[in-house]
Structure formats: C-alpha cells, structure tokens
Amino acid sequence: MLKLLAYAKDIVIVFGFIYGMSAYLKSAFQLNLFQVVAWWIKNFSSTDYAFPLLFGLFFSLFGGYTAWSSAIHGTYVSFLGDSVTKLYVGNIAKKAYFVEPENLTAKPFESVFVVMPNFTFEHIYTKTPFVKEKGTDRVGSAKQSQTLRNLIAPVSFGLVLGLILWVMLHIMGYQAYVAKNFEYESQAPTMRAAFTEQAQSIGLTPKHLTFVGMALCIIGLVGYLRTPPYTYGKQAIDIGGAIYPGAKVQGRALKVKKIYRNDRQQDIGAPVDTGRRIASFEFQQGLPTPVYVNYFFEEEPDKPGLFDDINSLIENNAEMSFIVTPELALSLPAVK
C-alpha cells in the first residue's frame, strides 16, 4: 500500500502541473493545454521570438517541477519515511557517495544531498542518517537535508518559477487565443491589459508581482546560504590500520578539474584559470570498500604539469602514490 502511495505521489506531481497549466489556459483564454500546444506546433516557425519563449517555458516548468517535487518529497518522507543508516565513503568532486552498512561489497551509490568535497580520510565510514520512502527500494536522501529549514529555498524558488511560468503561459496562450478569436490582433485586448486583469483578479498588479518575485528570490537565496553545514556522524569502521600519518597509499585517479573565475576587467563572463586544481582518487588497499578522497593543488596555468599527469593516469586507469599527512590528508612524496 505504501509503495503505491509513494509512486502515486510522483504521478500526482506530474499530472498536477499538467492540470494546473491546462486549467489556467482554460480560465484565461478558453483554450485547453493541448489546443495551445497544437497551435504553437503549427505556427512555431512563423511566430516572433518563438525559441526564447519556448526556452523560458521549459526553464520555468522544469525548474518549478524540480523545486516543488523536492519540497513535496521532503514533506512526504517527514511523515511517511523510514530512517536508515548509511556509511559515507567520500566525494568524487561534489558528488557524495555512501554504502550500506550491511552490504559493504555493494557498489557505492550517489546521494542527492550535496556534501562538500572531502580532502582527508577523517570522515570516511561515518554514519549518516538517511530517510527513505516506506515500501520502496529507493535510496532516499540524507535526513539532515529534509528539515523544515532546508525547505525554505525550494519553496521560495518554486514560487518564483511559478510566477515566471505564469508569464510564459500567458504569452503563449494569448497568441493562440488572438489567432483563434480575432481576425486582426488590433481587435483584441493587449497582452499587457489581459495580464493586468488576471493579476487584479487576485488583488495584485504586475508591479506587485515583480516585488513579490524579488522578495521570494531573496528569501530563497538567504535560505540556501544559511543552510547549516553538514554534520558528520560517528565513524563506524576503524581505518587506522591502513590510513595513518605517514602511511604510503595508492589512489586510482578518477577526475581532475580546473577552477576558474570571472575576470571583471575583461569581457563579462570571461573565464580565467586560477591555477587551482581538484583531483579525485579512489583508495581500496586495506579497506573493506573503495573510498574517495580529493587532492587540492596549484600550478602555473600555462605549465599544467601535474594536471596533465593526472589526466594521463585517468586515461590509463592508473594509480598515484601519496603520503598520508598528520591531518589524514594527501601529500605527494618528496622528490629525491
């Protein structure tokens, strides 16, 4: 029963968006969603600004769906979720990986909860509370990400994207409505007048909606930036026999990336190589499962020696030697 309820929730979210869009178009323009879609398919190439409008529609629709499904899922598992424990095995760049405590030989899975890249072995195999939907085999998400405070950002951004989606639907529905009901566009009420009338029906004006959208953006941004940092649990497996200060370890190179910044003195958005690099490695010797640790280094942007070396290791599925520091971080062996 709970399995059906979990999947029904997903279906309701999808069809809720479809029904909501169709209900709005029917109320505002006496056209259903499929009539508007059919008109746009037929007239897409001859309509001004068709591609930007289509892009705006999909951006607001996909973004709004993602935000609201995240918020609804978080609320759902708060009431109908099972608490389980996973073990953290490190990050590959920004992607956090975990394993089941009862099945350490299973392939680590990626969590939707973002943990900052780890540069040490310190928190490897720490217990992480997860919450999953009852009756399903879904992995779930870290319990810390499902607090009320963490829902502020997705709800705020979901409302903002809902406003943008409203505008996109109005523009696209208006054009189909005018083409269907008027011989000349000049005979129809203007697009702005029609939107103002709709906004006033809920006691607002386009200007009010603009301020509401700006306020929601600020609330969402503050909510995102003020999200509490991830708190690691207790270590479930002792790694001291394999990982200790001075230990020599071999790590298989998985990924390496350059860190860029925007140079304000040049063209807007022009990326500038900072010389900073982050590489991700997999370690397994003496450990029950593969674990992942990142290595930070700097080099001259025009002399990417180590960067190229690590890329070569990745291509050849090869390993690199490290010395474990007193902080359980990675250090390259001294060159003799």
Side-chain angles (χ1 to χ4, degrees), residues 88 91 93-96 98 111 113-118 142 230 232:
Y88 173 66
N91 276 53
K94 292 184 178 180
K95 296 181 179 179
F98 299 83
S111 169
F113 184 54
V114 178
V115 181
M116 295 304 292
N118 60 311
Y230 178 72
Y232 293 93

Side-chain angles (χ1 to χ4, degrees), residues 126-248:
T126 51
K127 295 180 179 180
T128 304
F130 267 62
V131 61
K132 57 174 290 188
E133 295 164 313
K134 289 182 179 179
T136 73
D137 296 326
R138 295 175 177 175
V139 169
S141 53
K143 194 171 185 177
Q144 187 174 329
S145 67
Q146 302 301 330
T147 63
L148 180 61
R149 188 172 180 177
N150 286 68
L151 293 178
I152 294 175
V155 170
S156 298
F157 290 132
L159 289 170
V160 172
L161 290 165
L163 290 175
I164 297 173
L165 179 60
W166 179 9
V167 173
M168 293 296 104
L169 288 174
H170 175 77
I171 295 172
M172 302 183 84
Y174 173 85
Q175 296 192 52
Y177 167 75
V178 170
K180 183 177 178 63
N181 293 280
F182 298 92
E183 185 176 357
Y184 301 103
E185 186 174 348
S186 59
Q187 297 174 331
T190 65
M191 187 184 301
R192 180 182 178 84
F195 185 76
T196 300
E197 183 180 348
Q198 293 173 26
Q200 288 176 341
S201 68
I202 58 173
L204 297 172
T205 66
K207 186 176 181 179
H208 291 151
L209 291 174
T210 301
F211 287 129
V212 169
M214 293 172 62
L216 287 170
C217 281
I218 294 172
I219 293 171
L221 186 60
V222 171
Y224 174 77
L225 295 176
R226 296 297 297 271
T227 300
Y230 178 72
T231 303
Y232 293 93
K234 293 183 179 180
Q235 196 169 49
I237 299 175
D238 182 21
I239 62 173
I243 306 298
Y244 52 87
K248 297 179 180 179

